[in-house]
Amino acid sequence: EWDLMSYVIGQQENETSYDTTIGSALRNRQPERSFLLFLDYDLAEHSPGAIMASGTWKLPGSTTISAILDLRKRPPDTRQKNHLQHTMSTMEGWNWMLPEDRLKHYTASGTGKVSTRAVGWSHALSPHLQWTGNVAMLDAVQDTTAEDAAALEMQEYFYHLKLTGKDLLFPGDNSRLELRHSVREDARISTATIDTRYAINHAWNITPTVHANYHSDTLEDTHRWAAAPGVKMEYRLSKQHGFKIEAGGTWSTGESTVTSNSRAPYHVSLGYKAKF
């Protein structure tokens, strides 16, 4: 039931080593619940770079609940993230719920500390339809350069809902409806995505998508809307060869207290794919 996995990441430039980190993940797996404790230590700073605790619980009725508590002083490294995702891949219902871009924003300079609490859930509504979602709250503290100034404290919220379906209209089709909303210190951002894929027959696939975004900048008092529909058709001559036709566009408009503007670019492409 217990696994222990570790890694060492070292970087070197001009024969000088720097930014060496070690990490370890302790995992407990059981049929109805799993637990992970992760520690990343910075040898150069002689201090923990990140500490994360996460758990997943399977409840009756095809429902899974997961939670993450993450404390860090450095942004998540890509290799570190891949290590964690690989470690947790066998825990069904666990997802990477951390707002990665905001963690990088607050910790990239080396003067910030961030704590994130996240709760996620997944529920199978039917054999063909599943609902997942998560809520995350981020608390950040950034040191200031002025000696007499207090540290800056920020709090942000992130919401995510996703509805996925398989074989709803035709055998082999996939559909995804995804909604996101974030409340940040400097902006309010809402996005909606519809992504579908239909296998018309063994040779033709069609993939329609729609993406919409609303961005409200609270500091500059500006608002932006954007909608981007698109469609892609694939024709497979064989397993190794095929053609792809793709078309799409973006309609966007922005408003501020003094100006407003709009744009409507589009694109059409034809491609050929071959595997050797």
Side-chain angles (χ1 to χ4, degrees), residues 194-196 206-211 227-232 246-250 267:
I194 299 176
D195 191 352
T196 57
I206 182 170
T207 307
T209 61
V210 178
H211 180 81
V231 62
K232 179 173 66 175
E246 188 172 0
T250 302
H267 68 274

Side-chain angles (χ1 to χ4, degrees), residues 28 32-37 52-58 64-69 88 91-95 97 118-120:
N28 175 270
E32 301 300 328
R33 62 183 183 274
S34 301
F35 176 77
L36 174 77
L37 180 63
M52 189 183 82
S54 179
T56 303
W57 300 267
K58 290 185 178 180
T64 302
I65 302 293
S66 57
I68 292 179
L69 173 62
M88 301 288 283
M91 298 168 61
E92 184 180 352
W94 186 91
N95 293 303
M97 298 181 290
V119 177

